[in-house]
Amino acid sequence: MTAESAPRWGSTLDAVVVYAQGAVCRRLARGSVPPDGRVRVTGLPRSLDPGSLRARVLGAPEVRVTEARVEVEAEPLGAGGTSDESRREVERLRDAYAAARARRDRQLALIEEIRALHPVPPPRKRDDPHRRTPVDAWLELADFVDERLTALHSRLAELEEALRDVEHELDIATDRFARASTDAPSAYVETTVCAVLTLDVTGADAGVDAEVELEYGVPGAVWVPTYRLSHRQGDGGGRLVLRASVAQRTGEDWTGVRIALATADLRRRTDLPRLRSIRIGRRQPAPAPSGWREPPAGLADLFAGYEAAGPRPAPAGAPMAGGAGSTTLVGAGGFGGAFAGGPMPPPPPPPPPPASQGYGAPPAALPEPGGAYRPAPESFAGMPAPAQPAAPQRSAAPRGGGGFAGPPPAMAPAAPGAAAPAPPPPPAPVAGPPQPSGAELDYAALVLSGPDDQAGRRGRLFPDAPFDPLAAEYRRRAETVAALPLPGHAVRPRESAGSFDHRFDATARADIPSDGTWHTVTVGEIPVGLRTEYLCVPSVEQTVYATLVLSNATDQALLAGPVEVTVDDEFLLTAALPTLAPGGVRRVGLGPAEGIRVTRRTNVHESTSGLRNNTTVLDHRIHVELANRLARPVTVEVRERVPVTSEPDVRIEERADWTAPEEGAGPDRHAPGTRVWRLDLPAGATAALDGGYEIRIPTGKALVGGNRRS
């Protein structure tokens, strides 16, 4: 049984973890294991990263996955294929708009032609006398032009109205097409992405039922947190609902999936660096194995029968292969099996895209002592770490007998009549085996060249995997969601999370179409402590502001984002919630409180003291009045500020019952010299606060002509 005739298992999307950029999807497939263990799991999106595919068997310890790779198939749609109504409507309206615009332009040209009509008298000779002007002919021409222009302008108004209608319909259709889900095949070609798995049944007969879990990464998914806060006046708690605005254009609709939101970055490397020691002396550690191996003997004779059979005929009716991804070997006990891949295109193959343009990179293999190799450690989500960058300089040793590099490219033929350039001298051979680069040691990205490749490449592993331009275009379109404008007061999760990563699991399943627009998903309810406080700084502004003091008693952080505040079942406003760490306390402003009035009056008296009146005394007196016009008692915090000096000769003496706030206490950070009054005002009551301070300045420290009252 070949891979094309292997049984196909349908899969369903079960869970998605959305990261700061990108997502990790989890699919489930169930079926009966064939005798050879080769199955094809269908339903994968076109934009997935082939190097991120992971597979394992659930609930069947006797069955394990020994090989997994991604294959893409494309075939033209027949008459009964899926129709793209939105695309055809846009094309029809675009043609109608072009025709209406052409008719309008022709009408404008006719108007300009009629408007250019004017009487031209015949030329008069030098000796001819002056002739009388035929006024009737002039008037008839003016009447003709006026009548013709009136009819043409009436027709122009109709054409412009029709053009505006068609343009409006085209804008609506274009917007509808742009917002449509991308989880639909093209109108001409149907692309199928599947995972080819090899299952090994140990201790059981073939035909046993197994459930396989596939995990893969996709670009084109972003999210920002939002909140809804419900509070009742007089209560010490509130109801904070965490929601998320999610936008995705991965190419598949997320229908009925479990959603989890994480602040981590999928592209960030998580493997630990390998530090090498430098020793001085004769005794040096044994060098690490280079990973280079001699090719097996008789490798060229392996394809002798293939060459004798002649060129392979093209199969009739076979689906067009889109471009295989890199092979990923997985299993229950780790990586295993042998590398395998489809035949590469005819030489020379197109160069692979740089690692910075793709959505991640395959894991790099690190050498271990004794010649063994292990895969690079995976990231927190099971995604592979980026590949090691290739070395800038490669060894000049010949690699004709190596297993990693091929012969040098052939020189292009010279133009006719041009002198052939002298061939460059061959490089001097370097003693020792070739030194492979980091890309050549990236075993997961190596591709086995097939029999249709060059004679020097067949049967060997090379790091230049075939490039799939269609898959790159799908990923480029998917990553456009990162440029979506954010909702009001929204902050990117990577900016608000800081140096820590958090994950939030939604309590219910959700539906998010692949249309590239924001969709709101309810994550869960978070218990928070709430209390209402009124704050005023009358020295800056004689207005009292209402605030909500939030305390986070959970073990999860609350990220910065917009919060819709509802007080007593009435929507109040949308505010910006700052990042609230576990156990933290922050204040959220609700705007001015019109029911509480504040008035502040100050008085400054200047005098001198001392034996010779050598000390200037500036006596500042402050009087604050508060009036509560609400129907409930309130707690008001009045803030003042006294001067702070660093001169030992300048003294500041306070005369008030205010207190200095403790550092680190409360939800706010106070400036030096801040003083606080806190008082409880009953409903309809008034209160007066008196305070002040004296500044004693020696005469030698005083500023002559300065403003001593500011």
Side-chain angles (χ1 to χ4, degrees), residues 38-64:
R38 301 291 297 273
V39 297
R40 303 173 72 89
V41 180
T42 60
L44 277 67
R46 191 66 180 88
S47 61
L48 70 87
D49 179 18
S52 65
L53 180 64
R54 299 289 183 269
R56 66 189 180 109
V57 180
L58 303 177
E62 68 276 1
V63 183
R64 65 187 184 94

Side-chain angles (χ1 to χ4, degrees), residues 255-324:
T255 305
V257 299
R258 292 186 289 110
I259 296 292
L261 308 169
T263 62
D265 188 1
L266 282 178
R267 302 184 181 183
R268 181 181 179 184
R269 297 191 58 173
T270 57
D271 54 339
L272 297 177
R274 187 172 184 179
L275 304 179
R276 299 182 181 274
S277 60
I278 300 178
R279 300 184 181 182
I280 301 177
R282 294 183 177 180
R283 184 176 180 84
Q284 298 293 332
S290 64
W292 178 82
R293 298 293 184 271
E294 288 284 350
L299 181 60
D301 300 337
L302 182 63
F303 303 95
Y306 185 84
E307 294 179 352
R312 182 176 57 181
M320 296 180 296

Side-chain angles (χ1 to χ4, degrees), residues 69 93 173 186 193 200 277 313 345 423 434 545 577 580 597 653:
R69 71 172 184 268
L93 290 175
S186 175
V193 182
D200 183 17
S277 60
Y545 290 89
L577 179 69
L580 194 61
R597 296 295 182 180
E653 299 178 0

Side-chain angles (χ1 to χ4, degrees), residues 137-173:
W138 284 60
L139 294 178
E140 290 178 2
L141 178 61
D143 293 341
F144 170 78
V145 172
D146 183 67
E147 180 182 358
R148 185 61 175 167
L149 286 179
T150 301
L152 291 178
H153 278 286
S154 300
R155 177 59 178 167
L156 178 63
E158 298 176 359
L159 294 178
E160 288 182 347
E161 182 68 21
L163 180 62
R164 284 193 297 267
D165 294 342
V166 174
E167 184 179 7
H168 179 66
E169 294 179 2
L170 177 60
D171 293 340
I172 294 177

Side-chain angles (χ1 to χ4, degrees), residues 269 352-356 361-362 364 386-395 399 404 435-442 445-446 463-464:
R269 297 191 58 173
S356 59
Q388 297 286 347
Q393 298 292 336
R394 296 191 177 184
S395 173
R399 301 190 182 185
F404 291 97
Q435 298 295 329
S437 63
E440 295 169 340
L441 290 178
D442 191 359
L446 298 180
D464 46 352

Side-chain angles (χ1 to χ4, degrees), residues 20-36:
Q21 284 192 18
V24 174
C25 302
R26 177 175 175 266
R27 280 185 170 270
L28 299 178
R30 177 182 290 274
S32 178
V33 181
D36 62 345

